[in-house]
Amino acid sequence: MRTTLLKKLLSLSLALTLLLGCASYALAWEPQWAHDEDLSDYRLCENFGDITLKVAVTDHATISTWEENAFVKWLEEVTNVDLTFELIPYEGRAEKLGLILNSGNYPDVFLSCGMTSAMISRFGVDEKMFLPLNDLIEEHGTFTKKMFAEFPGTEGLISQLDGNIYSLPVVNECFHCTAPRKFWINQAWLDNLGLKMPTTLDELYEVLVAFRDQDANGNGDPNDEIPLAGDYKDGWYTNVENPIMNAFCYYTLDLDTGSTTSSDAFGMYMDGDTVCTPFELEAFRDGVKYVRKLVEEDLLYVGSFTQDLAALTQIAESDRLGACSGGYILFCNLGSDIYRNYRRVLPVAGPDGYTNAISYPYGNVGGNGYTISAKCQYPVEAFKLGDLLYSYAATMRGYYGVYGEQWTDADPGAIGINGEPAMYKLLVPWQESEPQSYCVLQMTISYRDAKFRLGEPSDPNIDLYSGAGLETLLYQVTKEYKPYTKDEKAIPSLKFTDEQNETMSVLKANLSATIKEGMISFFNGTKSIDDEYDAWLATLESQGLPQLVEIYQNAYNAQYK
């Protein structure tokens, strides 16, 4: 935990002194709010409304209104700045943001509205439409520089090829997201059939056969069980082949989202200092054949490749699902009786004993969350507003809500999810489904390091399979997965020129479609692995996969060698 944010024993007089520094504009802080952040320097003008900043934000369905949101009102009270908003629809925001950028009619600030690295390269580096932040960070970046100090290397990660920083990142150190490709099995079914948790691919195969043939759910119908299933539409790492393929080789291929922005869409990974793809490896082809075998034998549900998460959940909640991949047990209703049946499966060993869990060690600090227009009339004030968002006060209020209403200080002696002293206590369960007016959820930059995220109290005797126990469950399971990860194979954050991005956009669009269509066709049997796999590889080559890998390699060489 950041010691500067965790001192709970400051005197009430000090807390009041900090408040009185802003008393003329009635800061909405409660007297018991006792921490060491002096935000008086963030009063950016004498009278409310002397400065107005227009901010582009995402119009998320769970935020009732930005103008009247309690977090926004708090920001205005702290800064005295009148904040107005340009709403970008959550669905299709990339298209809307592109229209705004190409219009040249910019708001003062773009806040967590889907800005991509390609946009930063074009409109910042090349067209100079975004404000370089380096000097502002040096002179005014109190919380930004703390973030740099606590995450060494961040300054380099967010610097562009011209050496400038054009956008402040989101800090979201999600521990369970560092190894999110987890595998879950129905423990009740194992118990019903007297089976042990599988540790090898052969043992998993035997379990799946038993699930198929032996009325594992005990309802008297031996034909309604689905041993293994997933979805490729909207689940979080519910792509069903993941635990199988990772018993053969390093398999980071993501087929479920159709995204072309991530290297996962093309199966890229590092072999030392070399960017690689796995498609020509014999072990990869063997894994594809094994997945096909599971489909042929009705051990893997062929509908997995076309169904969505809702359909998968319906199968699971009807007690017909034996095993499934997922970042958590998201294929069941959280805390339901069926949800409670599932337990983690550690990575199973393949034919030669190979085991692997995919990791994402570079995702803690990233994204382009806070960008300032070069035409902004108040660049210093706009930057300081962004810097303020990294404060503990802003992070808590933006993510959870109003102090004393949605959250408060942790009880004395309370222990967090990570076993360290708890930082805070939630008074209202966090949710991202119903409209509300007290916070803006994840639609702002913030400083959420691992200790912050794991600083919520967790009873040592908590029911791990209740809704309240989810974070603790994921923390414990992720700790078990970490020894299987190979961080050195993960592709680090790379920056590309506008020209490279333009070239890649064409290559990626064609390649991602060919990769997804080919892989699913080999899995479901509409293409023959023996007869058509080599022709598929040739298509990938003709569509420019080697060129795409070369662009990544050149970017890696320029930044890391």
Side-chain angles (χ1 to χ4, degrees):
M1 295 180 183
R2 295 202 296 169
T3 56
T4 58
L5 302 181
L6 295 178
K7 294 178 182 177
K8 298 295 184 179
L9 302 178
L10 290 178
S11 67
L12 181 60
S13 61
L14 176 57
L16 290 174
T17 299
L18 299 181
L19 293 179
L20 289 173
C22 303
S24 61
Y25 57 101
L27 272 178
W29 286 338
E30 294 77 2
Q32 61 266 46
W33 177 252
H35 57 80
D36 63 352
E37 291 178 323
D38 181 357
L39 302 183
S40 59
D41 189 44
Y42 292 86
R43 185 183 184 187
L44 303 178
C45 55
E46 185 65 26
N47 303 301
F48 177 75
D50 286 349
I51 292 175
T52 297
L53 292 175
K54 187 175 184 180
V55 184
V57 295
T58 297
D59 187 18
H60 198 281
T62 56
I63 301 173
S64 298
T65 172
W66 278 84
E67 286 79 1
E68 299 302 320
N69 189 275
F71 173 62
V72 173
K73 291 296 185 184
W74 179 81
L75 287 176
E76 290 182 327
E77 290 167 347
V78 171
T79 63
N80 253 1
V81 172
D82 184 10
L83 299 176
T84 64
F85 297 94
E86 180 170 354
L87 303 182
I88 298 177
Y90 185 78
E91 298 296 334
R93 65 177 177 173
E95 180 181 358
K96 174 63 175 176
L97 180 58
L99 292 174
I100 294 174
L101 291 174
N102 283 293
S103 73
N105 185 20
Y106 290 4
D108 296 296
V109 172
F110 294 90
L111 173 61
S112 295
C113 52
M115 187 77 67
T116 66
S117 295
M119 291 172 177
I120 295 292
S121 176
R122 175 183 170 185
F123 296 101
V125 177
D126 292 344
E127 299 189 15
K128 312 300 182 186
M129 298 301 291
F130 299 147
L131 190 69
L133 305 180
N134 306 52
D135 293 341
L136 291 167
I137 291 171
E138 182 60 31
E139 188 171 354
H140 303 288
T142 302
F143 294 109
T144 304
K145 286 189 285 188
K146 285 184 179 180
M147 179 261 291
F148 286 166
E150 288 158 21
F151 284 89
T154 294
E155 192 168 2
L157 283 175
I158 65 175
S159 295
Q160 296 302 309
L161 295 176
D162 64 354
N164 287 323
I165 296 171
Y166 292 93
S167 190
L168 297 177
V170 175
V171 180
N172 184 13
E173 192 176 9
C174 170
F175 179 68
H176 69 258
C177 301
T178 61
R181 298 190 179 204
K182 299 176 174 67
F183 188 34
W184 308 89
I185 201 164
N186 194 318
Q187 182 67 50
W189 288 15
L190 291 177
D191 295 341
N192 288 345
L193 302 180
L195 301 172
K196 294 181 179 180
M197 181 71 68
T199 61
T200 68
L201 198 59
D202 288 342
E203 291 174 359
L204 177 62
Y205 176 81
E206 293 172 0
V207 165
L208 296 177
V209 170
F211 283 175
R212 181 193 63 192
D213 297 339
Q214 299 182 29
D215 189 22
N217 61 13
N219 68 350
D221 181 357
N223 299 311
D224 69 342
E225 287 83 359
I226 294 177
L228 176 63
D231 96 87
Y232 282 69
K233 298 255 185 207
D234 49 357
W236 188 46
Y237 294 117
T238 49
N239 41 320
V240 67
E241 84 284 359
N242 183 70
I244 309 302
M245 293 297 297
N246 271 293
F248 288 88
C249 62
Y250 188 87
Y251 180 84
T252 186
L253 190 63
D254 188 357
L255 302 171
D256 59 348
T257 63
S259 170
T260 62
T261 58
S262 170
S263 59
D264 285 358
F266 312 95
M268 293 185 189
Y269 64 96
M270 299 301 303
D271 183 5
D273 286 330
T274 303
V275 179
C276 299
T277 57
F279 306 113
E280 294 187 358
L281 297 177
E282 195 63 34
F284 183 90
R285 193 181 305 214
D286 289 343
V288 175
K289 290 179 179 179
Y290 198 95
V291 174
R292 174 63 192 145
K293 171 186 173 182
L294 297 182
V295 174
E296 286 180 316
E297 297 183 14
D298 291 327
L299 301 176
L300 192 163
Y301 177 47
V302 70
S304 299
F305 305 115
T306 55
Q307 71 181 354
D308 60 13
L309 182 59
L312 177 62
T313 301
Q314 187 175 18
I315 293 171
E317 284 291 334
S318 61
D319 197 19
R320 297 172 55 222
L321 179 62
C324 188
S325 300
Y328 60 100
I329 312 171
L330 72 163
F331 46 88
C332 293
N333 297 324
L334 181 62
S336 71
D337 291 342
I338 297 296
Y339 173 96
R340 292 172 175 274
N341 287 340
Y342 289 90
R343 298 295 182 270
R344 63 71 183 135
V345 186
L346 293 178
V348 296
D352 62 354
Y354 182 83
T355 59
N356 181 55
I358 297 298
S359 62
Y360 296 93
Y362 301 108
N364 298 328
V365 182
N368 301 289
Y370 194 91
T371 308
I372 302 173
S373 167
K375 297 180 181 179
C376 177
Q377 290 185 311
Y378 305 102
V380 172
E381 290 79 4
F383 171 78
K384 293 189 71 172
L385 174 67
D387 188 65
L388 170 65
L389 294 174
Y390 289 135
S391 69
Y392 183 65
T395 293
M396 288 299 298
R397 289 175 175 270
Y399 190 64
Y400 287 121
V402 179
Y403 177 78
E405 295 182 14
Q406 281 77 40
W407 65 280
T408 189
D409 298 321
D411 295 331
I415 300 299
I417 292 169
N418 56 2
E420 298 182 21
M423 296 174 64
Y424 53 87
K425 176 174 67 176
L426 298 187
L427 303 175
V428 175
W430 190 88
Q431 61 89 25
E432 199 174 17
S433 57
E434 297 298 325
Q436 48 75 37
S437 59
Y438 51 78
C439 72
V440 295
L441 303 164
Q442 302 185 78
M443 297 296 106
T444 182
I445 63 170
S446 59
Y447 190 103
R448 290 182 286 152
D449 62 2
K451 292 181 179 180
F452 171 89
R453 289 186 58 124
L454 300 172
E456 183 179 345
S458 177
D459 189 318
N461 300 313
I462 195 170
D463 178 358
L464 293 177
Y465 293 91
S466 65
L470 175 60
E471 287 288 337
T472 305
L473 171 66
L474 291 179
Y475 175 72
Q476 294 182 4
V477 171
T478 303
K479 283 182 66 177
E480 293 182 284
Y481 263 66
K482 292 298 279 186
Y484 296 88
T485 60
K486 300 172 176 62
D487 288 355
E488 70 278 4
K489 288 186 173 293
I491 298 235
S493 176
L494 298 176
K495 302 173 187 67
F496 303 97
T497 66
D498 191 35
E499 181 180 358
Q500 288 173 324
N501 281 316
E502 288 182 2
T503 301
M504 288 194 298
S505 67
V506 177
L507 295 175
K508 287 182 172 183
N510 294 328
L511 285 166
S512 62
T514 301
I515 290 171
K516 181 173 183 177
E517 186 274 333
M519 290 293 293
I520 292 177
S521 295
F522 293 128
F523 290 155
N524 67 22
T526 57
K527 283 187 176 182
S528 167
I529 301 171
D530 291 333
D531 298 335
E532 298 179 80
Y533 193 88
D534 288 337
W536 178 69
L537 289 180
T539 300
L540 295 180
E541 183 172 0
S542 68
Q543 289 183 342
L545 182 59
Q547 184 182 0
L548 180 64
V549 171
E550 183 180 14
I551 292 173
Y552 270 75
Q553 184 70 62
N554 289 338
Y556 177 85
N557 292 345
Q559 295 167 58
Y560 295 101
K561 289 182 72 175

